[in-house]
Amino acid sequence: MLKHYKTIGMIGGIAPASTVDYYNRLISRFQERTGQREYPSIIINSINMTHMMELITNENLDELVDYLSEEIFTLEKAGAKVVFMASNTPHLVFEPLAQRVKTKMVSIVDSTIAYAQAKGHNRLGLFGTLSTMEGDFFQDGFEASGMEIITPMSDERKYIHKVYMEELIRGRFLPETKSRLLSIAARMYSEGQIDSLILGGTELPLILKSSDMEDIELLNTTKIHVERILDAAIG
């Protein structure tokens, strides 16, 4: 019965908590969308996040492409037909990766752009790692689609990155951290900077929920990404 569905390959472990979230969402949404109690074929390659982040921090992007492409080749050899990375940050090298590997890759950025356009958002805040907030891979894609990405102030960006790396990727979700993150988002909204907020780190939806802010939509990039992955896998 499942022969019509493509095997999904996940580059995971970046970080473990979000990998588990992706896994659970893929299964539950697959069953909801197909109306069957079947389970999709998912291959997870849990990679070394410490090594990946060191390459990004040191701006060794060519080496990062080499590293990630080899890990994707592992998924291809195992039979994956649709591949994705369970993290926003490594999408800064998505284009060269997609050109190098054979398998169809599903981008979290492109998925979020399509979703935001459909929702009519224009000025979107962006939370994530420093590489995500200060890089151009979100900004360029959104600007090309007629939308604007707004990032927090410099000290706020540093704070978000710090708690991301020291707490969130380790599965620690503290109430005081949540309160500070929400206060940053509230400031950006009250000053008229943003009409919505992209949770541009796949651990962020584990601490910030849609119900936490009444005035603006929080875009859960994991949730959005999962739908596009399943679009490709179900066909």
Side-chain angles (χ1 to χ4, degrees), residues 7 41 43 72-81:
T7 296
S41 174
I43 303 167
I72 292 169
F73 291 149
T74 298
L75 290 173
E76 290 179 336
K77 288 171 194 166
K81 302 301 181 192

Side-chain angles (χ1 to χ4, degrees), residues 77-220:
K77 288 171 194 166
K81 302 301 181 192
V82 175
V83 171
F84 73 95
M85 296 183 288
S87 174
N88 285 267
T89 302
H91 277 71
L92 76 148
V93 292
F94 181 86
E95 294 304 329
L97 268 180
Q99 290 169 13
R100 187 176 298 191
V101 304
K102 301 188 188 78
T103 318
K104 175 180 174 58
M105 290 185 66
V106 182
S107 162
I108 200 168
V109 178
D110 292 344
S111 302
T112 307
I113 289 171
Y115 177 89
Q117 278 186 313
K119 286 284 190 170
H121 295 310
N122 293 305
R123 295 169 60 81
L124 300 98
L126 176 64
F127 283 8
T129 63
L130 275 177
S131 299
T132 296
M133 292 185 288
E134 297 182 355
D136 55 15
F137 62 101
F138 259 99
Q139 282 83 341
D140 289 352
F142 273 81
E143 285 177 13
S145 301
M147 294 174 283
E148 191 174 357
I149 291 288
I150 314 293
T151 57
M153 294 186 294
S154 177
D155 62 322
E156 294 170 335
R157 294 197 301 270
K158 288 172 183 169
Y159 169 78
I160 293 169
H161 180 80
K162 184 173 186 290
V163 297
Y164 199 101
M165 301 308 295
E166 294 180 4
E167 298 174 18
L168 305 189
I169 65 171
R170 297 177 183 177
R172 298 176 64 215
F173 307 106
L174 307 177
E176 58 267 31
T177 300
K178 177 174 182 170
S179 178
R180 175 81 191 276
L181 292 172
L182 287 172
S183 73
I184 294 170
R187 177 195 65 74
M188 294 174 75
Y189 172 73
S190 66
E191 291 178 2
Q193 294 183 358
I194 60 174
D195 60 22
S196 49
L197 175 65
I198 299 169
L199 302 181
T202 48
E203 282 68 47
L204 286 165
L206 303 177
I207 191 169
L208 300 179
K209 308 296 181 189
S210 298
S211 56
D212 290 330
M213 296 198 75
E214 293 179 358
D215 298 319
I216 64 172
E217 180 180 7
L218 302 182
L219 277 66
N220 179 339

